[in-house]
Amino acid sequence: EPEVTQTPSHQVTQMGQEVILRCVPISNHLYFYWYRQILGQKVEFLVSFYNNEISEKSEIFDDQFSVERPDGSNFTLKIRSTKLEDSAMYFCASTKTRDSYEKLFFGSGTQLSVL
Amino acid sequence: AQSVTQLGSHVSVSEGALVLLRCNYSSSVPPYLFWYVQYPNQGLQLLLKYTSAATLVKGINGFEAEFKKSETSFHLTKPSAHMSDAAEYFCAVRTSGNTPLVFGKGTRLSVIA
């Protein structure tokens, strides 16, 4: 089965630094998502992206966050100035359509540790 | 807004025993419901989904779930646990349109030999 690829698997950074989390969605998918899971808490929606623009974003996705599809294959999440509370597992996902019954294909996640 | 509640953050069963992982949903419109599983160091993988075609849904690896509207539940079951079932299980809900998939907190399943 095709896979969503995320790199790196683990990122350690100092508070205040910028980080970029990278994802390669499945090649014929058109809708892309970022989710995160803080240890012991729910998997939370951050943002959805289609046609080179944000479709929807949650309250968590403030001005410190941005997403980009810089080329035809990568989908990135940037955190401009990391905070301790940004430490979490970040999951990228993609789907072919926006149908609500469509399953999301998830990557294996990037564990972000902010020190 | 839709939400799901998973009862029990950790469930432990003996190998060969019944697995029951509970999920209750809240939605003002008919929901689409999903169970995802995460094995160690892997991504979230779809186990099964309910899309209103049938209330009893069969998924991969012998798992199934039953949609009960009267109880607003979508519990996941497997008749006989295997060691390889040890993982984190997430219930999720989505409604019509491009609404985000909303997850529960997850239940960690341990299988004891």
Side-chain angles (χ1 to χ4, degrees):
Chain A
E1 190 171 66
E3 289 185 347
V4 174
T5 306
Q6 287 187 246
T7 54
S9 56
H10 195 182
Q11 173 94 44
V12 181
T13 189
Q14 296 290 326
M15 188 170 58
Q17 294 296 304
E18 174 184 286
V19 294
I20 297 176
L21 309 183
R22 303 181 192 278
C23 170
V24 179
I26 294 169
S27 60
N28 62 346
H29 284 188
L30 301 175
Y31 296 83
F32 313 115
Y33 310 84
W34 283 101
Y35 284 77
R36 79 172 186 189
Q37 185 182 28
I38 295 171
L39 189 64
Q41 298 187 26
K42 293 186 180 188
V43 177
E44 302 171 293
F45 169 76
L46 293 179
V47 66
S48 60
F49 190 86
Y50 169 71
N51 200 26
N52 283 320
E53 60 183 30
I54 291 173
S55 305
E56 190 166 355
K57 60 182 180 179
S58 70
E59 293 174 352
I60 303 167
F61 195 88
D62 61 22
D63 292 344
Q64 294 297 315
F65 291 87
S66 62
V67 288
E68 192 178 32
R69 188 154 164 81
D71 52 44
S73 59
N74 289 283
F75 178 53
T76 61
L77 174 70
K78 183 192 292 187
I79 308 175
R80 191 165 358 130
S81 177
T82 50
K83 302 187 280 284
L84 295 175
E85 54 265 37
D86 293 328
S87 295
M89 177 72 86
Y90 288 80
F91 293 104
C92 173
S94 69
T95 57
K96 196 183 300 187
T97 76
R98 60 179 280 173
D99 295 323
S100 297
Y101 53 80
E102 184 83 28
K103 81 172 190 180
L104 271 65
F105 288 79
F106 284 88
S108 55
T110 293
Q111 180 66 54
L112 177 64
S113 300
V114 182
L115 307 179
Chain B
Q2 66 270 26
S3 66
V4 289
T5 302
Q6 290 185 243
L7 296 175
S9 59
H10 187 201
V11 170
S12 187
V13 299
S14 299
E15 193 175 18
L18 171 72
V19 175
L20 171 61
L21 305 182
R22 298 177 189 274
C23 172
N24 288 88
Y25 70 89
S26 173
S27 175
S28 57
V29 298
Y32 297 105
L33 294 160
F34 305 79
W35 275 99
Y36 281 84
V37 60
Q38 185 182 25
Y39 298 104
N41 300 316
Q42 295 187 30
L44 295 164
Q45 178 184 354
L46 183 70
L47 266 181
L48 49 81
K49 63 180 179 180
Y50 167 75
T51 58
S52 76
T55 56
L56 182 62
V57 181
K58 294 188 185 299
I60 62 171
N61 301 336
F63 283 93
E64 61 182 39
E66 186 172 8
F67 173 73
K68 291 187 177 180
K69 186 177 177 181
S70 60
E71 298 177 10
T72 61
S73 68
F74 190 58
H75 301 331
L76 182 70
T77 60
K78 182 174 180 176
S80 176
H82 193 272
M83 298 297 287
S84 60
D85 295 326
E88 187 93 18
Y89 291 80
F90 296 92
C91 183
V93 64
R94 200 173 186 186
T95 56
S96 59
N98 196 25
T99 55
L101 189 63
V102 175
F103 284 89
K105 276 194 174 185
T107 298
R108 179 166 298 278
L109 175 67
S110 298
V111 182
I112 304 165

